[in-house]
Amino acid sequence: MKVSHIEHLGIAVKSLDEAIPYWENVLGLKCYAIEEVAEQKVKTAFFKLGQTKIELLEPTSEDSTIAKFIETRGIGVHHVALACENLEEQLADAEAHGVRLIDKTPRNGAEGLSIAFLHPKSTQGILTELCEDKNK
Ligand code: ZN
């Protein structure tokens, strides 16, 4: 596979209103976007940290995967997103290496990115998101 950098860290939070002040007031970062991704039943808030972003994820429904994650593991780092080009090719490559794909084909994520998740059982315990920015 070929990945270039950590595009963002996805962090599960119970409430954006509770979490954002930590990132803004303690770490001195600025929330530059809040977006609801209905398909994933989450509301997201974004911060920039160098070329990496921080994506806070608040569940908008009890059956959201983020709600389930918080229930079993608590709040905290949920996934690592790696930037790549030719997402379809990277998925095929991952599969060829025996990696279990959560998304066999790319779908739409926040910020207009094309995304796909790899299963943590085959990525050393790290829920991994691959992202391609088709707008650039
Ligand atoms: Zn993400």
Side-chain angles (χ1 to χ4, degrees):
M1 290 176 67
K2 201 171 168 213
V3 293
S4 56
H5 61 278
I6 295 178
E7 211 281 334
H8 64 270
L9 281 182
I11 297 176
V13 303
K14 277 190 183 145
S15 143
L16 290 181
D17 290 341
E18 276 173 35
I20 287 172
Y22 166 72
W23 295 88
E24 289 199 325
N25 304 337
V26 181
L27 291 175
L29 304 176
K30 179 91 193 91
C31 176
Y32 69 89
I34 290 184
E35 188 186 333
E36 188 162 342
V37 185
E39 206 180 309
Q40 293 178 53
K41 296 176 184 163
V42 291
K43 206 160 107 186
T44 60
F46 284 93
F47 301 84
K48 274 196 184 96
L49 193 52
Q51 69 174 341
T52 300
K53 294 165 201 153
I54 301 295
E55 174 188 45
L56 303 183
L57 301 150
E58 175 194 291
T60 53
S61 152
E62 273 175 24
D63 62 347
S64 154
T65 55
I66 296 300
K68 286 176 191 148
F69 177 87
I70 292 172
E71 221 171 85
T72 54
R73 314 259 305 253
I75 58 170
V77 176
H78 174 260
H79 65 272
V80 173
L82 304 175
C84 69
E85 286 177 10
N86 305 314
L87 182 51
E88 285 89 347
E89 260 174 50
Q90 305 306 329
L91 286 175
D93 205 3
E95 200 165 29
H97 282 87
V99 172
R100 196 165 131 201
L101 309 181
I102 293 176
D103 301 300
K104 297 231 177 235
T105 53
R107 58 188 166 97
N108 297 328
E111 297 204 296
L113 296 177
S114 215
I115 66 163
F117 280 92
L118 309 180
H119 200 284
K121 284 221 165 102
S122 47
T123 55
Q124 301 296 312
I126 304 155
L127 176 59
T128 303
E129 175 183 355
L130 297 175
C131 303
E132 179 177 15
D133 185 355
K134 293 203 168 174
N135 306 309
K136 65 167 196 203

